Amino acid sequence: MKFTKLWIICIVLILVSTSAFGQKYEANWQSLKRVQTPQWLQDGKFGIYTHWGPYAVHAYGSNTTWYSFALYMDPEGEARQHFEKKFGKLTPDFGYKDLIPLFTAEKFDADEWAELFAKSGARFAGPVAEHHDGFAMWDTKYSDWNAAKMGPKRDIVGQLEKAVKKRGMKYVTAFHHAANWFFFPVHDKQYDTGDPKNHGLYGQYHLPGEKRNQAFIDEWYGKIIEVIDNYSPDFIWFDFALDDIPEGYVKDFLAYYYNHADKAKKEVVVTYKDHDIIPGAGVRDLELGQEPNITYNDWITDSSVDDRGAWGYAEDLIFKSPNRLVDNLIDRVSKNGYLLLNVGPKPDGTIPEGAKEVLLEMGAWLKVNGEAIYSTTPWFVAAEGPTNLGSIERQGFNESNVVYTPEDIRFTVNGDNLYATFLDWPGEKAVIKTLRNAGANVKNEDLPEWAKADPSVPLAGTKWEFKEERDDGEVEIMKYEFYKDGKFRVAGGEAGEGVDGTYNQIGEKVYLAVGGFKWMGKYDGEAFTVTEEGAPSYPGFYKEEIKRITMLGDDKALDWVVSPQGLVIKTPEKQGQYAYVFKIERYHHPKIK
């Protein structure tokens, strides 16, 4: 009996010791890729961060945060001309560092910022802790060139941490400082960047092309660990250049951060550009970009409220419309993405009125329609409609000011509720072609008047021939013949001598099918053409699933019918703006007739 008790005590001591001193994550990719995307990010979807530093002072340039790079690297460029005209000639004693005393932040109010971000509907928020320029926005022991000792003479990261967390949002800190190494010509004595006493800001002395030295790497690592220990961010965002840091240091940081969070019993996330961290060990970030299609992995994009990607404040900024920002948020969420939206405050610490206005408009839209965004997941189909994005580059950069149509729809789902968000007002009826029943025995003339499709000129009895040059130079001839009973025959190409199929004509749209192959055409009464638009359909959707349909913001049950043209919903009186969400409540186990 004594031996048994002793054995039990030993086991308990081992378990306690493992719990107290063990580490869940080791500094290797096999261990680090076990980290999970936090539930708060999966639910929250939308956050805000701020590019704010000495670069707000000059308030100029297509990308204000890269102004200081161009200032030194391009003697004939706009940045040099602007700086020397407005502030004075670059000399061995005078340069970018001399903007810091003008970075006063006298009107900065962390609570005012956080309150605005909360009202915008953001669920996570925070600052760029350090940009490429080497100026830290917290009271760091690694450099005197920081906001607590110079310029604002306030711990910006610390004050925002308290204000953001007080409002229930998760806290973001962003780091660009891996790129500080090449940002300034620290070898060039004709500029203040070459003066050793300024290297705490501009970076350690090195010649162009040299790899980062040990002092730089230790400071890069130490600053991040310091922010983790002092401010416990929930979200660490990285710009590019992590791949210029020795891999072991990146793995050490990740293990430290994830174990720090595990000990505190909290969920955290790290995002990265390009392929700077292996898949699964963080969430990939796309700059000014978004995936054109639904993805198996989740992702995030950093975008900005300004219309040109200036990131920081500039005097001539034009802000994106609320409609564009709302549409882009919806599109990203439907494709398994999240949005981190940038705001660039003025040097005195105030947020530009144009930025405030669009953020509050986003918040107003989310207050009514957030049910279709927060805590949702993508559905089997992300999108319907004619407007598509271009292909994505490795780091993003495919965001554009596309104008969506009333036919552009994005889908999300929560539980048994399916949300179909129209990116423009659909009119008197909302038609969701993805939910069409191609085989439904419903004639257009038998539908309610409000649900009928536009009149069409019948294709039946017509024949069409198309010539198309293939990649090998050969000319391919495709022949179509349409019959009265909803059948057609196509010959040529892969159809060979000819195969039979079925078609469904609704207005000008023609839905064609041969076996499992489906495509679309258009017939305006004069010419038939094959379109590149895919024939939308989710074959697993049954009309018996539908329990009730409403539009968010109006809880009245709406009339609907499932027909060959799609799920047709009789819309209520138009209210709100930007995008319109139809909530389709479904039976979990419908009784199929």
Side-chain angles (χ1 to χ4, degrees):
M1 182 66 69
K2 289 181 180 179
F3 175 81
T4 303
K5 287 183 178 179
L6 181 61
W7 182 247
I8 292 172
I9 290 171
C10 289
I11 292 173
V12 171
L13 287 173
I14 291 170
L15 291 173
V16 171
S17 175
T18 301
S19 174
F21 304 107
Q23 300 289 302
K24 182 175 181 179
Y25 298 98
E26 299 176 10
N28 61 66
W29 296 125
Q30 290 76 16
S31 177
L32 294 169
K33 71 180 297 185
R34 300 199 328 264
V35 72
Q36 299 293 310
T37 300
Q39 191 61 47
W40 61 258
L41 180 58
Q42 296 181 55
D43 292 342
K45 310 293 187 186
F46 170 48
I48 294 174
Y49 73 152
T50 56
H51 280 68
W52 193 46
Y55 44 84
V57 172
H58 60 74
Y60 183 83
S62 59
N63 184 332
T64 67
T65 62
W66 279 77
Y67 174 99
S68 54
F69 175 83
L71 171 64
Y72 291 98
M73 299 301 186
D74 186 2
E76 305 301 323
E78 287 186 13
R80 176 74 65 90
Q81 294 175 30
H82 175 268
F83 184 89
E84 294 192 337
K85 181 179 179 180
K86 186 172 183 178
F87 303 107
K89 186 173 178 59
L90 278 185
T91 70
D93 299 313
F94 183 77
Y96 177 73
K97 71 180 187 310
D98 296 286
L99 298 183
I100 294 173
L102 304 178
F103 177 41
T104 57
E106 71 270 19
K107 296 181 180 179
F108 169 65
D109 185 330
D111 282 302
E112 185 179 319
W113 283 21
E115 187 66 22
L116 172 65
F117 301 158
K119 286 180 178 178
S120 76
R123 298 295 175 87
F124 43 96
V128 169
E130 186 174 323
H131 209 278
H132 307 328
D133 65 350
F135 190 78
M137 297 297 288
W138 75 97
D139 189 9
T140 177
K141 67 182 180 182
Y142 290 95
S143 170
D144 289 334
W145 299 86
N146 68 70
K149 293 184 173 68
M150 297 181 178
K153 296 186 177 177
R154 299 167 73 175
D155 184 346
I156 303 300
V157 172
Q159 291 183 19
L160 281 171
E161 180 218 354
K162 292 181 176 61
V164 167
K165 290 181 178 178
K166 183 167 68 177
R167 284 160 178 80
M169 292 180 286
K170 299 299 182 181
Y171 189 51
V172 180
T173 52
F175 292 92
H176 299 64
H177 65 311
N180 175 254
W181 181 257
F182 66 78
F183 213 63
F184 298 104
V186 292
H187 65 288
D188 197 335
K189 298 294 185 181
Q190 68 175 316
Y191 302 127
D192 64 329
T193 54
D195 190 334
K197 71 175 183 290
N198 300 328
H199 285 177
L201 177 69
Y202 296 134
Q204 293 93 349
Y205 174 84
H206 64 277
L207 295 175
E210 287 185 342
K211 294 185 78 68
R212 289 154 176 76
N213 60 30
Q214 190 64 53
F216 180 92
I217 294 165
D218 289 343
E219 182 175 323
W220 173 86
Y221 182 83
K223 283 181 173 178
I224 301 171
I225 301 303
E226 185 179 56
V227 167
I228 294 170
D229 288 344
N230 293 344
Y231 310 106
S232 192
D234 304 284
F235 182 156
I236 292 181
W237 180 98
F238 282 109
D239 201 14
F240 73 101
L242 275 188
D243 55 348
D244 282 312
I245 302 294
E247 188 177 331
Y249 286 87
V250 177
K251 292 187 288 190
D252 284 351
F253 143 69
L254 289 169
Y256 186 92
Y257 184 41
Y258 293 151
N259 284 320
H260 182 276
D262 185 60
K263 185 177 179 181
K265 299 187 180 338
K266 61 185 287 185
E267 294 181 302
V268 297
V269 65
V270 172
T271 63
Y272 62 94
K273 294 284 182 70
D274 210 353
H275 298 297
D276 288 0
I277 292 177
I278 70 155
V283 173
R284 187 181 175 209
D285 175 85
L286 305 173
E287 182 174 342
L288 294 173
Q290 55 204 95
E291 293 284 358
N293 301 299
I294 193 170
T295 61
Y296 290 102
N297 60 290
D298 56 352
W299 49 279
I300 193 167
T301 180
D302 59 310
S303 188
S304 188
V305 294
D306 71 88
D307 199 36
R308 68 169 185 254
W311 298 106
Y313 171 69
E315 293 174 347
D316 62 344
L317 285 185
I318 296 173
F319 296 97
K320 293 172 182 170
S321 68
N323 185 60
R324 178 176 174 183
L325 291 171
V326 167
D327 284 351
N328 280 334
L329 171 62
I330 296 164
D331 182 76
R332 287 168 167 96
V333 171
S334 72
K335 295 169 182 174
N336 210 15
Y338 316 111
L339 173 62
L340 182 62
L341 187 63
N342 167 71
V343 175
K346 297 180 180 181
D348 66 1
T350 57
I351 293 176
E353 288 301 316
K356 286 183 182 179
E357 290 171 7
V358 296
L359 290 179
L360 291 174
E361 285 290 293
M362 289 187 75
W365 186 88
L366 283 164
K367 190 172 183 179
V368 174
N369 300 286
E371 183 181 339
I373 300 295
Y374 304 125
S375 301
T376 62
T377 67
W379 192 49
F380 298 104
V381 179
E384 172 183 320
T387 310
N388 298 308
L389 297 170
S391 60
I392 196 166
E393 296 183 20
R394 289 180 67 179
Q395 288 191 8
F397 301 106
N398 69 329
E399 180 184 296
S400 62
N401 189 18
V402 297
V403 178
Y404 290 102
T405 73
E407 293 184 337
D408 287 303
I409 309 169
R410 298 296 180 266
F411 298 99
T412 53
V413 67
N414 187 344
D416 289 324
N417 296 326
L418 175 64
Y419 301 92
T421 302
F422 284 70
L423 301 183
D424 198 358
W425 179 245
E428 296 181 355
K429 62 182 178 184
V431 181
I432 306 174
K433 301 182 183 69
T434 297
L435 306 184
R436 62 191 288 265
N437 182 353
N441 187 22
V442 180
K443 295 181 179 180
N444 194 53
E445 56 267 28
D446 295 333
L447 293 173
E449 198 62 35
W450 58 265
K452 289 180 179 178
D454 295 332
S456 57
V457 179
L459 256 176
T462 64
K463 298 180 181 180
W464 306 92
E465 185 175 295
F466 304 100
K467 294 181 180 180
E468 183 176 342
E469 186 174 344
R470 301 188 317 211
D471 292 339
D472 60 5
E474 293 291 323
V475 175
E476 186 173 83
I477 298 176
M478 299 292 296
K479 296 180 180 181
Y480 287 80
E481 185 171 358
F482 293 91
Y483 310 116
K484 291 183 178 180
D485 56 359
K487 295 180 180 179
F488 77 103
R489 185 170 182 81
V490 57
E494 294 183 4
E497 295 297 318
V499 292
D500 294 324
T502 59
Y503 75 96
N504 198 335
Q505 184 181 356
I506 302 169
E508 291 188 350
K509 296 288 180 71
V510 183
Y511 300 92
L512 305 116
V514 173
F517 296 96
K518 298 178 182 179
W519 66 103
M520 285 186 67
K522 180 179 179 180
Y523 183 56
D524 60 7
E526 295 182 0
F528 169 72
T529 56
V530 176
T531 67
E532 294 185 0
E533 183 182 355
S537 178
Y538 174 62
F541 190 91
Y542 293 76
K543 66 180 178 63
E544 289 87 357
E545 290 183 60
I546 300 175
K547 182 189 301 183
R548 185 170 181 260
I549 300 178
T550 57
M551 189 175 80
L552 296 187
D554 182 339
D555 196 45
K556 299 185 184 71
L558 302 174
D559 293 334
W560 57 270
V561 63
V562 176
S563 75
Q565 66 175 312
L567 169 60
V568 187
I569 305 167
K570 186 177 183 180
T571 57
E573 183 178 345
K574 182 181 178 181
Q575 56 183 304
Q577 52 188 335
Y578 309 136
Y580 307 87
V581 183
F582 291 89
K583 179 180 178 180
I584 304 170
E585 300 174 47
R586 300 178 295 169
Y587 295 104
H588 189 71
H589 289 144
K591 295 180 179 179
I592 308 299
K593 295 179 181 178

